[in-house]
Amino acid sequence: MSTTRPYPPGDRGPEPSGASGVSEEAASSDVLPASTGGRQVRRLRLDGESGVVPLARDFTRQALYAWGWLPAESADRRAAAEDVLLVVSELVTNACLHAEGPDELFLACDKKVIRVEVSDRGAGQPAPRTPHRAGRPGGHGMFIVQRLCLDWGVLRTAGAAGKTVWAELGAPA
C-alpha cells in the first residue's frame, strides 16, 4: 500500500469533486467546443504541490472516466487506460528526478489520440538509456514511454527556461 494514500491502488471510479486533493482552481477542466474536432483538454498545475505523482495519476484517472476510457468494457480498453496512467507516472517522475519537479500536466483527447504533456523548468534532454538493461533497477522510464506511445518528444520555447515532454497514445478501439 502506498504511503501517500489511505487506500490500495486500483480502479475506484471517478472521485467526487475535490477528493483527489486537488483544489477546484488547480483541477479546472477546459472542454473545447465541437468545432475543434471534439478535442477535450484538461490542465493540472503541479508547481509547488507535494505528492505530485499520485496527484497526477488521480487527475488523469478522473479525465479518463470523463472521456469514456473508463470503466473499461474489455481487457484491451483497460490496458489502454493503464498505459496512459503509466506514461503520466513516468513523465511526472522524470520531471521530479531530473528537472526540479513538474510545473503542469496537460491532457488532450480526441477520438483517436490522447496527448500527455508535462512541463518543467529543467534543461536536460530526456532519452531512453542505451543500451536498455532490463535486469537493472531504475532508468526504465523513457524506455517505457517509447514502447507504449505512438510518438513522444520534447518542446522548448526559445528564450525561456524549461521544456515540455509530450507523448501520444492511441485511443482504445
Side-chain angles (χ1 to χ4, degrees), residues 30-128:
D30 301 320
V31 178
L32 300 179
S35 62
T36 61
R39 186 172 182 221
Q40 301 175 78
V41 174
R42 293 193 178 202
R43 294 179 187 274
L44 175 64
R45 280 173 279 176
L46 296 169
D47 186 32
E49 296 289 334
S50 61
V52 293
V53 176
L55 188 66
R57 281 182 64 91
D58 288 346
F59 180 80
T60 302
R61 185 177 292 109
Q62 289 177 24
L64 292 174
Y65 271 95
W67 296 339
W69 286 52
L70 291 173
E73 299 167 0
S74 68
D76 287 344
R77 291 180 66 82
R78 177 67 184 174
E82 289 296 330
D83 287 350
V84 172
L85 293 169
L86 180 55
V87 167
V88 166
S89 295
E90 293 298 340
L91 294 181
V92 172
T93 297
N94 217 35
C96 291
L97 293 175
H98 306 292
E100 303 171 28
D103 290 334
E104 182 180 73
L105 169 65
F106 171 86
L107 304 170
C109 181
D110 61 26
K111 292 180 181 181
K112 295 181 181 179
V113 174
I114 188 165
R115 183 175 175 107
V116 176
E117 297 181 3
V118 176
S119 300
D120 62 52
R121 283 172 259 151
Q125 181 71 20

Side-chain angles (χ1 to χ4, degrees), residues 92-171:
V92 172
T93 297
N94 217 35
C96 291
L97 293 175
H98 306 292
E100 303 171 28
D103 290 334
E104 182 180 73
L105 169 65
F106 171 86
L107 304 170
C109 181
D110 61 26
K111 292 180 181 181
K112 295 181 181 179
V113 174
I114 188 165
R115 183 175 175 107
V116 176
E117 297 181 3
V118 176
S119 300
D120 62 52
R121 283 172 259 151
Q125 181 71 20
R129 282 196 183 162
T130 334
H132 180 253
R133 294 198 167 98
R136 289 194 152 168
H140 306 290
M142 294 312 295
F143 178 78
I144 291 169
V145 170
Q146 183 179 42
R147 296 288 298 219
L148 293 178
C149 295
L150 300 170
D151 199 7
W152 72 276
V154 179
L155 298 172
R156 296 191 186 276
T157 304
K163 65 186 173 299
T164 298
V165 181
W166 60 271
E168 294 180 339
L169 297 96

